[in-house]
Amino acid sequence: MAKYPEIKVTELDPKSFIETKAKDISKNVGEGTAINALSGGVDSSCVTMLGHKALGNRLKTYFIDNGIMRKDEPQRIAAIFKEHGVKVEIIDAKEKFFAALKGITDPEEKREAITQTFYKDVFSKLVKDSKAKFLLQGTILTDIEETAAGIKRQHNVFEQLGIDPQEAFGYKIIEPLVELRKDGVRKLAEAVGLPKEIFERMPFPGPALAARVIGEVTPEKIETVRLATVIVEEELTITGAFQHMAILHNDKVTGMRNGKREFGYQIEVRSWDSVDARTAKPTRISYEILEKLASRLVTEVPGVVSVTYNITNKPPSTMEAI
Ligand code: XMP
């Protein structure tokens, strides 16, 4: 596999990195304008702050509400950035994404549907309307490597796949974080002035909760996994794990409630200890926590009758389910 240049977290001098990247962005964009999509993850948050530092109001930041984000996410993120002087416009694209996902069960096809809807349908319209020729994006080194290795098709890697974004979508992509891994980005996010809530945030995948629904993604299934996610995050944040998640299985199983048979959903909980997401081990969670988690999931999430905890390492597992 090709080697890509890397700046290790120990070698990273955040102040000079910020200055260099802000200058690069200014130089690239010139007198023009750029746009970016903020998801609220540490990568796109960092890029938003770098772009804002370089371009001020000439960077237009959108939060695309694809309907598959965590609970209240668009409003919460927009409010955080507002406090930092960055205006974020929320675009409601829920229906478009659910329409694109309808009937698809294959993991890579789901990712592809989300990518295409995001770039071709929603984002390219925003770019055209804004007349921006540049797009700032928070791709990191791990995204590129895993895409190049054919493990997963990350949503934000184009040039590495031989797709010319200028030709395909009409704009040029600037990726200031490609030399960093997640630990480096967190260090940078703190240095760029973002709050702890963002720089210590768990990673969250581009395909969002759709990466956590096995089989077809429907608004109902997303709502189920979204409710389960709230509970998992409330109960597992104290473990300090690198990442934890709720996954909704496709197959239903027989359960029983109030003396009656209930053919219901299975939620799989995963919690990972990891440094850079390349390898990971399941967190050794106490049975007390697991029991509370299971009891809340089966009582607070309608239709859930079974909860399991994943005990596999990455590899051979990956962290997300699709
Ligand atoms: P996997 O499942 O590949 O996940 O072991 C490794 C890390 O990457 C995140 N992830 C993604 N991030 N776009 C992203 O920006 C994606 O398509 C994507 N898929 C996985 C995942 O949450 C984990 O932290």
Side-chain angles (χ1 to χ4, degrees):
M1 188 167 81
K3 265 265 180 216
Y4 298 95
E6 174 175 359
I7 302 174
K8 294 214 161 73
V9 66
T10 45
E11 303 157 359
L12 175 68
D13 172 357
K15 278 214 175 99
S16 77
F17 187 93
I18 292 165
E19 291 309 320
T20 310
K21 293 298 170 185
K23 269 193 205 136
D24 286 354
I25 295 169
S26 300
K27 211 171 119 200
N28 262 308
V29 176
E31 293 303 304
T33 53
I35 86 171
N36 81 315
L38 172 66
S39 71
V42 68
D43 306 342
S44 70
S45 294
C46 228
V47 164
T48 302
M49 292 303 282
L50 282 177
H52 186 70
K53 184 175 164 60
L55 306 170
N57 290 339
R58 287 187 296 125
L59 175 71
K60 186 112 182 65
T61 300
Y62 294 99
F63 189 108
I64 293 168
D65 184 357
N66 53 16
I68 51 179
M69 301 301 293
R70 280 174 290 189
K71 195 168 183 298
D72 303 329
E73 190 79 349
Q75 294 71 21
R76 197 164 66 223
I77 298 301
I80 291 174
F81 277 83
K82 193 173 174 197
E83 271 176 33
H84 286 73
V86 184
K87 187 169 171 268
V88 177
E89 193 176 327
I90 299 172
I91 306 292
D92 181 355
K94 296 191 214 52
E95 281 181 14
K96 285 188 174 150
F97 280 88
F98 282 120
L101 285 163
K102 200 169 165 43
I104 301 178
T105 53
D106 179 80
E108 294 301 296
E109 283 178 25
K110 276 193 226 173
R111 283 169 181 266
E112 182 65 11
I114 293 166
T115 305
Q116 292 299 330
T117 308
F118 185 91
Y119 288 101
K120 275 205 155 149
D121 197 350
V122 183
F123 208 54
S124 62
K125 275 198 193 86
L126 293 172
V127 180
K128 269 183 212 135
D129 292 349
S130 74
K131 309 229 179 335
K133 289 276 175 285
F134 296 89
L135 165 62
L136 298 189
Q137 199 158 250
T139 318
I140 65 169
L141 190 54
T142 317
D143 299 337
I144 292 176
E145 285 176 348
E146 295 201 344
T147 302
I151 296 166
K152 272 181 197 179
R153 188 195 188 296
Q154 304 283 355
H155 80 295
N156 49 6
V157 182
F158 286 104
E159 287 175 17
Q160 292 75 24
L161 286 171
I163 298 167
D164 179 354
Q166 189 103 46
E167 214 170 81
F169 307 110
Y171 48 71
K172 183 152 179 44
I173 297 181
I174 302 175
E175 296 173 317
L177 309 180
V178 280
E179 296 138 309
L180 304 179
R181 295 191 190 276
K182 201 62 96 181
D183 46 359
V185 182
R186 288 190 197 282
K187 193 168 160 184
L188 193 65
E190 183 174 10
V192 90
L194 285 165
K196 206 174 173 151
E197 182 181 351
I198 297 283
F199 69 76
E200 280 194 352
R201 211 158 201 236
M202 273 190 312
F204 190 67
L209 296 174
R212 299 174 182 176
V213 170
I214 301 176
E216 187 186 4
V217 176
T218 62
E220 295 71 31
K221 285 190 168 176
I222 288 291
E223 195 47 35
T224 301
V225 86
R226 181 181 283 134
L227 285 177
T229 301
V230 171
I231 296 169
V232 167
E233 293 188 359
E234 279 174 8
E235 296 300 330
L236 295 190
T237 298
I238 54 159
T239 65
F242 178 87
Q243 193 171 11
H244 41 247
M245 60 193 71
I247 291 160
L248 177 62
H249 280 229
N250 196 23
D251 289 338
K252 284 185 160 186
V253 289
T254 302
M256 53 187 287
R257 211 188 297 263
N258 305 325
K260 280 206 190 104
R261 179 182 190 272
E262 184 178 325
F263 195 52
Y265 290 124
Q266 308 183 65
I267 291 284
E268 175 187 336
V269 176
R270 294 185 181 189
S271 177
W272 299 106
D273 290 343
S274 178
V275 176
D276 54 20
R278 279 183 294 178
T279 59
K281 283 184 184 307
T283 313
R284 292 187 171 226
I285 298 174
S286 77
Y287 252 87
E288 276 162 4
I289 295 178
L290 288 174
E291 274 169 0
K292 178 147 182 241
L293 200 51
S295 135
R296 286 194 63 191
L297 287 166
V298 295
T299 47
E300 295 175 37
V301 187
V304 172
V305 296
S306 169
V307 176
T308 55
Y309 183 58
N310 182 297
I311 50 167
T312 322
N313 288 344
K314 172 183 178 175
S317 178
T318 58
M319 294 167 86
E320 304 290 346
I322 75 153

